[in-house]
Amino acid sequence: MAAGLTYPARVRMRLALLGLLIAVLAAPSVGTAAGPSLTAKDRQEIGSVVDRFVKGAVERHDLAGAWALAGPGLRGGTTEKAWLAGTGVAVETYPARGDDFTHAWTTNVVEPGRVSISLMLHPAPGHPKIAQTAFQAQLVKRHGRWLVDSFYPAAQFFGNGHVVGPNDFGPGANTVATTTKARIRALWLVVAAAAIGSVIVLLPVGFWVRAKRRERRAFAAYLATRH
């Protein structure tokens, strides 16, 4: 990452870039109506769910509580009995540092009844071989409650500058990778290039669409004056 940035700043930049790539790839085409947004109540509820789910499922402190927060996507490939036994938890275990994850996430994409988020977890002391890891999650709203429908690692960041990226992970994996062999060393260059490229392409298109709309309105007004 850029030289001179403090450790927290590098973490925030990594998480922001990861979320930016996901948002760019999932963004609606130019000219469509603005999408839905999360209310303050939704954000509060999602933060609470994320906090309890990380502690319950990811850290394995409360599997029963985590099962109650699991959506159909996570429950589909397992059973409650296997989940509670710890053998069928469809989420990777991770020894996260900290005791409050309520605000440890950022929003990527918001759809009606569904939201995609990113969150960065750091290893607790005593786990020197575990990398800080960016996770992706989807939450769905069912019967007025937010549930975690998927939760999986998207990228790992090692102290030597290596990055293990999305191709190394997938939903339902069983262990956290600890290898320092990065299969994607230029992940963030790709992210930056995708973001810049999207701006270069979409900005002129947006101006063109806006100009054409103004032109049609002006012509319609002109025709109206002739009658």
Side-chain angles (χ1 to χ4, degrees):
M1 298 304 296
L5 290 177
T6 63
Y7 177 75
R10 289 197 301 270
V11 170
R12 288 193 296 270
M13 179 178 289
R14 289 166 174 172
L15 191 55
L17 287 174
L18 183 64
L20 178 60
L21 176 59
I22 294 171
V24 166
L25 294 177
S29 59
V30 175
T32 59
S37 59
L38 292 174
T39 65
K41 181 180 179 182
D42 282 331
R43 289 187 174 277
Q44 182 179 8
E45 292 177 355
I46 289 172
S48 176
V49 170
V50 169
D51 179 60
R52 287 181 289 154
F53 191 81
V54 170
K55 295 173 182 175
V58 180
E59 295 185 316
R60 303 295 199 264
H61 293 329
D62 182 11
L63 291 177
W67 176 259
L69 299 173
L74 286 180
R75 292 189 177 196
T78 186
T79 64
E80 182 177 6
K81 181 179 180 180
W83 180 289
L84 297 181
T87 58
V89 182
V91 177
E92 288 197 25
T93 181
Y94 186 90
R97 185 176 72 205
D99 55 8
D100 186 355
F101 306 98
T102 305
H103 305 290
W105 56 280
T106 58
T107 306
N108 294 328
V109 181
V110 179
E111 300 173 289
R114 181 179 294 271
V115 61
S116 172
I117 67 171
S118 299
L119 66 157
M120 184 76 76
L121 296 182
H122 307 269
H127 299 276
K129 293 184 179 181
I130 301 296
Q132 66 184 52
T133 301
F135 286 84
Q136 289 296 307
Q138 279 200 343
L139 288 89
V140 293
K141 200 166 191 178
R142 294 288 187 272
H143 307 294
R145 297 176 58 235
W146 284 101
L147 303 172
V148 181
D149 209 39
S150 68
F151 194 100
Y152 57 92
Q156 289 184 327
F157 307 94
F158 294 90
N160 55 9
H162 290 284
V163 177
V164 177
N167 287 346
D168 300 285
F169 301 110
N174 294 320
T175 58
V176 176
T178 57
T179 177
T180 58
K181 295 180 180 179
R183 301 181 187 178
I184 301 180
R185 299 175 184 272
L187 173 64
W188 302 114
L189 291 178
V190 174
V191 172
I196 294 172
S198 297
V199 172
I200 293 174
V201 172
L202 295 179
L203 191 59
V205 173
F207 283 130
W208 181 84
V209 171
R210 187 176 181 182
K212 295 300 290 184
R213 286 179 174 175
R214 286 181 175 178
E215 181 181 329
R216 287 196 298 269
R217 286 197 296 267
F219 185 68
Y222 168 74
L223 292 177
T225 62
R226 296 177 61 86
H227 292 81

